[in-house]
Amino acid sequence: MEPRPIRFLRNLGRMRQIVSVLLNYGFGDLVDRLHLRGYVRLGQRLLRRKGEPTPPLSRAQRVRLALEELGPTFVKFGQVLSTRPDLIPPDFIEELKHLRENVPPFSGDLAVQLITEAIGSGRAQIEDISTEPIAAGSLAQVHTARHSDGTKLAIKILRPGIRSEIETDLDLMHEFATLLQRYVPEFRVIDPVGLVRHFERVIRREQNLIREARTVEEFSRLFREDATLKVPRVYTELCSDSVLVMEFIDGIRVDDREELAAYRISPRAIAANGARIFLKQAFEFGVFHGDPHPGNIRILPDGSICLLDYGMIGMLDEQTRDLLIDLLMSIAKRDVARAVALVQKVGQPHDSLDVALLNADVRDFIESYYGIELGQLNLGSMLNDFVRILTTHGMSCPGDLMLLIRALVTLDGVGRSLDPDFNLAAILRPFVEAAVRRRYDPRRIASGIFDELRTLANVACQLPVSLERTLDKLSHNELRIQLEHRRLDQLINELDRSGNRIVIGLILSALIVASALLFRAGSGPAWISVSVFAISAFLGIWLIYGVFRSGRL
């Protein structure tokens, strides 16, 4: 990894461009607070000040436009932010949902060349690669081709140079996050450094097409006996980290009501099957498609469903699934105390919690949904209210859990657009009941007890050895206790600075007094004592100014 100064110099031009865009969209106050104005002083004439729009744009709109102008990495960052209503205000969420990538496709001939080079020895199996892409995004674009066995293919190819561009922007995002954490206290509640780290994991996964190929294969394995979900075939032997080769699916968009009617496919059945497939992914397998919007769903003529774009995938471990089940059960049982404890376990507070207020809000939340018949429960509304509680109390949700909530809300909206009587809660119920049955399965309980006993046995075996080592060190006076002093460095720096100021002040005072005495006694050249007096007085005034400027008198 390059040293930080080298990375700083290498990214200087991009940093200046980012700061210029922020200034152009009216974020000069933020630039000043982050002490970044110096990056554009040398290139001030290059800034294109935009006139005030009519009507004036909101802050959320200006953020969206700035992200679009900054390019693919920042557009992806905005899209990830749009899935975090626990961190971002609602008006920003709604605006970021409209982020457009606005990236024209790169040369089709270059794409064909890159695909051929990446496939290598398997190029004889690929024929008729189209030079015209069927889809173009900020990270990749898709071309059609034909396999030697006659199968129509969809080939996804990363944009040339996109990885180095992403790495540069990620470096600068980490710099910005650190500055926000240090200089802008109101941003600390969203943990900007942690947010950038989460985004870094997301975008690294999305640009690794080998990983996406393995994900598609995993879904194919999990649903191999479920005919209602069609998973495209992946040609793994032809894939690389920059090329994904898979079967082309020519289906009907889920929101195309006319085509569905032409094939006599029931929208109500599609809504129910789609919800069941998604809930099976999340609550049985613990891996789910993170972006089930209409553009990523195709319906085949036989009524089966096909999901496209497996770049954004969420993972739920068994512990998180149990936590969600416990939360739903506490709401069903009207157990406020248990629900509050679970909310604190799910959410990650950025500051001290007002537990009494949290109790009141959770009680109101439970009262709003307790006693409602399952067929009348609006799960999307309930999840949004739950996220609102987290936001109100300054708690953030784990990334994958928040992705699940956002996907469920999206799925609820798609289902209701297909079927006005669609109810996601009713489809969720059997999965919750099955999860509860699995939890209290005697075989699982016995397995858990066995694992705990095995752990205790290992501890018991290791205890005599550990105790012997401790006593041996104690007898030889080698036992040491390490203490962690938090923020002690800051105290030492402050004491060091104060000591330096005292020493400088004493020296300056001595010089002023000595020069005044020499001048009055008339011994030695007068210009020496006058010069020493003037310099000492100037340095003393400079020291006083520095103390006032630091704000610590």
Side-chain angles (χ1 to χ4, degrees):
M1 187 176 181
E2 292 180 337
R4 190 170 181 271
I6 300 298
R7 298 202 315 271
F8 171 80
L9 292 174
R10 181 167 55 83
N11 300 335
L12 188 60
R14 178 59 170 163
M15 174 69 90
R16 179 178 296 172
Q17 181 185 2
I18 292 171
V19 174
S20 300
V21 170
L22 291 175
L23 289 173
N24 286 341
Y25 284 98
F27 296 104
D29 56 335
L30 182 62
V31 169
D32 291 333
R33 293 180 70 180
L34 297 179
H35 306 286
L36 296 175
R37 179 78 67 168
Y39 284 101
V40 294
R41 281 176 182 159
L42 295 176
Q44 196 74 29
R45 287 175 295 180
L46 298 177
L47 292 179
R48 303 186 306 277
R49 287 288 180 184
K50 300 182 186 295
E52 185 68 19
T54 304
L57 297 174
S58 68
R59 194 173 183 87
Q61 289 173 320
R62 288 186 283 123
V63 166
R64 176 180 62 80
L65 292 172
L67 291 174
E68 286 179 354
E69 187 167 330
L70 287 172
T73 311
F74 287 87
V75 168
K76 289 293 179 186
F77 184 61
Q79 291 170 345
V80 170
L81 283 180
S82 71
T83 68
R84 299 304 303 266
D86 55 325
L87 300 178
I88 310 298
D91 57 328
F92 280 79
I93 293 290
E94 289 303 315
E95 192 61 38
L96 292 177
K97 285 179 180 177
H98 298 102
L99 271 170
R100 300 185 306 273
E101 300 188 29
N102 285 336
V103 181
F106 64 92
S107 165
D109 292 331
L110 176 59
V112 172
Q113 177 187 341
L114 293 174
I115 290 171
T116 305
E117 291 174 356
I119 291 174
S121 59
R123 67 186 67 179
Q125 302 179 50
I126 304 295
E127 304 169 354
D128 302 330
I129 304 175
S130 68
T131 55
E132 199 68 31
I134 58 173
S138 56
L139 300 185
Q141 62 189 41
V142 181
H143 293 255
T144 58
R146 192 167 298 281
H147 195 270
S148 56
D149 65 5
T151 306
K152 189 175 181 181
L153 302 176
I155 303 180
K156 186 176 182 179
I157 173 74
L158 286 183
R159 286 180 171 273
I162 191 64
R163 285 198 173 98
S164 60
E165 182 180 339
I166 288 173
E167 290 303 317
T168 297
D169 286 342
L170 285 175
D171 279 345
L172 294 178
M173 281 182 173
H174 281 291
E175 295 287 342
F176 272 100
T178 303
L179 293 175
L180 284 171
Q181 194 97 10
R182 182 184 306 166
Y183 294 119
V184 190
E186 54 265 35
F187 272 90
R188 291 174 190 163
V189 297
I190 68 171
D191 184 18
V193 174
L195 196 59
V196 171
R197 285 175 184 161
H198 169 68
F199 170 68
E200 184 176 7
R201 289 194 299 271
V202 170
I203 199 167
R204 286 195 195 284
R205 282 190 303 190
E206 195 163 341
Q207 64 178 311
N208 186 345
L209 298 187
I210 279 286
R211 181 168 185 156
E212 184 174 344
R214 289 173 181 161
T215 300
V216 179
E217 285 191 315
E218 177 68 7
F219 271 79
S220 179
R221 184 186 66 82
L222 293 174
F223 285 89
R224 63 180 178 272
E225 297 180 0
D226 191 336
T228 60
L229 178 66
K230 165 68 175 176
V231 180
R233 177 187 173 187
V234 175
Y235 293 80
T236 313
E237 70 280 4
L238 301 177
C239 296
S240 69
D241 59 350
S242 60
V243 169
L244 173 64
V245 182
M246 59 195 304
E247 174 188 2
F248 179 83
I249 301 296
D250 189 13
I252 308 165
R253 277 183 62 105
V254 70
D255 53 357
D256 191 340
R257 302 295 292 266
E258 292 183 0
E259 282 291 315
L260 291 176
Y263 281 91
R264 297 182 179 180
I265 299 173
S266 166
R268 176 170 295 183
I270 294 298
N273 280 337
R276 183 190 57 79
I277 289 169
F278 182 86
L279 294 173
K280 187 175 183 179
Q281 294 172 17
F283 288 94
E284 285 191 22
F285 303 137
V287 54
F288 60 92
H289 193 289
D291 198 15
H293 65 78
N296 282 338
I297 304 174
R298 293 292 184 272
I299 311 300
L300 301 184
D302 62 357
S304 59
I305 297 172
C306 179
L307 297 175
L308 307 179
D309 192 357
Y310 288 79
M312 187 177 290
I313 297 296
M315 308 288 289
L316 284 183
D317 56 29
E318 197 164 350
Q319 183 180 2
T320 305
R321 281 178 273 168
D322 285 345
L323 199 62
L324 285 173
I325 299 301
D326 286 340
L327 185 59
L328 291 171
M329 290 176 65
S330 66
I331 294 171
K333 293 178 180 179
R334 213 174 185 177
D335 188 346
V336 176
R338 176 68 172 156
V340 168
L342 290 168
V343 167
Q344 292 184 69
K345 199 170 182 180
V346 170
Q348 301 165 355
H350 301 293
D351 210 340
S352 58
L353 279 173
D354 187 337
V355 180
L357 185 58
L358 179 61
N359 267 281
D361 286 345
V362 171
R363 185 180 296 107
D364 290 342
F365 171 73
I366 292 177
E367 292 296 333
S368 299
Y369 294 99
Y370 179 76
I372 298 178
E373 290 293 332
L374 198 58
Q376 299 175 353
L377 179 64
N378 188 328
L379 188 63
S381 175
M382 188 181 82
L383 291 172
N384 283 326
D385 287 346
F386 174 72
V387 171
R388 197 171 296 116
I389 289 176
L390 296 179
T391 306
T392 302
H393 294 274
M395 292 187 286
S396 62
C397 207
D400 282 335
L401 184 55
M402 198 65 243
L403 185 63
L404 173 67
I405 292 175
R406 181 247 192 181
L408 286 172
V409 172
T410 303
L411 193 67
D412 188 60
V414 173
R416 290 178 185 276
S417 68
L418 291 170
D419 175 16
D421 298 324
F422 174 78
N423 185 267
L424 185 58
I427 303 171
L428 175 63
R429 181 171 183 168
F431 291 94
V432 173
E433 292 173 347
V436 173
R437 284 196 299 270
R438 283 197 303 270
R439 177 186 297 183
Y440 296 110
D441 187 330
R443 289 172 297 181
R444 181 179 175 184
I445 295 173
S447 175
I449 293 174
F450 178 75
D451 289 341
E452 293 295 333
L453 289 174
R454 186 170 53 186
T455 303
L456 288 173
N458 289 335
V459 171
C461 291
Q462 295 170 7
L463 185 60
V465 178
S466 300
L467 186 60
E468 181 184 2
R469 289 176 181 172
T470 303
L471 292 175
D472 186 58
K473 288 184 178 181
L474 185 62
S475 63
H476 290 87
N477 293 323
E478 295 176 354
L479 190 64
R480 294 183 177 88
I481 298 176
Q482 295 183 350
L483 299 176
E484 181 183 357
H485 299 280
R486 295 185 178 180
R487 308 186 75 176
L488 186 61
D489 292 342
Q490 184 178 353
L491 176 61
I492 293 173
N493 290 336
E494 291 297 326
L495 291 174
D496 196 26
R497 183 184 298 177
S498 301
N500 290 340
R501 286 177 175 173
I502 291 172
V503 171
I504 293 173
L506 289 173
I507 293 173
L508 293 177
S509 300
L511 289 174
I512 291 173
V513 172
S515 60
L517 290 175
L518 287 173
F519 183 75
R520 184 169 181 80
S523 56
W527 65 271
I528 294 179
S529 56
V530 171
S531 299
V532 172
F533 183 85
I535 293 172
S536 302
F538 172 76
L539 292 175
I541 294 170
W542 175 76
L543 178 62
I544 293 170
Y545 169 73
V547 172
F548 273 101
R549 186 179 181 184
S550 69
R552 299 186 184 95
L553 187 57

